[in-house]
Amino acid sequence: LIPPEQLEYQFYELLPGEGGIDDNTQIMAHLNGDQDDVEFPDSSAGGHDFTATGSVFIDKRAGYLGLAGAFFGGSGSLLSTPTVAEFGLSTVDWTLDFFFENNGPLGSEARMCGHTDAGLTAAGSAFYFRMSSTGFLEMIVSNGTVFTTLASTSQVLSGRRHAMGVRSGNDLMLFLDGILQVTTGIAGSIPACAANFNIGARGADNTSFTWQG
């Protein structure tokens, strides 16, 4: 795992005993900087910098362990970067993880990040994370035919938390704050998605249930 003092959104293929920024890291967005900054660079070798839509800025009051974080200021606010071939998850082992703080009301879902097409088709989507309408952290992954949903074992109603999804072989795992929540099987290849990779939204659908806070 990456040390918790680094506030970041990560997206990298997992190799045993390795972590942090290496040749397998595809996105490393620290979402750190000075108050009200509106630049969101990617620290991986790929340099997949993010562009803001709506009201997104660096908020040093929202950070983890004294660092800054990205604040999403309203409906339709998100960060996106164009897809590249390296984002394809296919059949490889991978890890996706990030820190978040849940301030949203129950009753509607809130989409955290993802790589999906506009219609949320299994054939054109890879994955997305969301907070469900009842307050559970969920990771939804496609194998090209159907979606598999993994959910936390309890509600996540407040506080600064760490989410992590892992594929290892034919197993999918969801962790919350370093604690395994659920393991389930997955067969087949995760599709390559042609849409933007988004933080604060699930993918090509950029207006529905975006993250706030």
Side-chain angles (χ1 to χ4, degrees):
L1 295 179
I2 300 303
E5 62 268 19
Q6 299 180 15
L7 177 67
E8 58 211 0
Y9 173 86
Q10 306 171 61
F11 174 43
Y12 58 90
E13 296 175 12
L14 178 68
L15 296 181
E18 296 187 6
I21 302 176
D22 58 26
D23 291 343
N24 297 292
T25 306
Q26 301 303 323
I27 294 176
M28 180 72 79
H30 292 277
L31 306 183
N32 201 354
D34 294 328
Q35 181 67 37
D36 299 326
D37 273 358
V38 291
E39 295 183 354
F40 306 95
D42 168 29
S43 296
S44 76
H48 310 295
D49 295 347
F50 284 80
T51 299
T53 298
S55 176
V56 186
F57 57 90
I58 296 298
D59 186 358
K60 300 192 78 168
R61 298 163 297 182
Y64 185 77
L65 296 181
L67 299 177
F71 184 86
F72 296 81
S75 178
S77 296
L78 59 102
L79 299 174
S80 64
T81 192
T83 192
V84 293
E86 289 76 18
F87 290 177
L89 298 177
S90 185
T91 59
V92 301
D93 293 348
W94 46 260
T95 296
L96 304 115
D97 75 295
F98 55 93
F99 291 95
F100 69 96
E101 183 169 8
N102 182 28
N103 292 316
L106 295 180
S108 64
E109 68 175 280
R111 296 166 179 172
M112 308 165 90
C113 61
H115 202 194
T116 72
D117 64 12
L120 194 59
T121 67
S125 301
F127 79 95
Y128 70 105
F129 282 81
R130 70 181 179 186
M131 193 64 62
S132 75
S133 61
T134 52
F136 291 84
L137 173 68
E138 294 183 344
M139 178 177 73
I140 298 95
V141 182
S142 171
N143 69 354
T145 303
V146 296
F147 289 97
T148 297
T149 299
L150 291 80
S152 60
T153 57
S154 60
Q155 291 176 306
V156 185
L157 301 180
S158 61
R160 294 166 185 170
R161 315 297 292 271
H162 179 251
M164 182 169 69
V166 174
R167 178 175 182 169
S168 179
N170 290 324
D171 289 331
L172 284 176
M173 291 167 275
L174 177 66
F175 294 81
L176 177 64
D177 299 331
I179 299 172
L180 178 64
Q181 303 293 295
V182 62
T183 300
T184 192
I186 184 172
S189 178
I190 296 173
C193 179
N196 289 346
F197 186 101
N198 284 2
I199 302 174
R202 68 163 169 78
D205 178 4
N206 292 338
T207 59
S208 300
F209 306 106
T210 52
W211 188 260
Q212 297 186 49

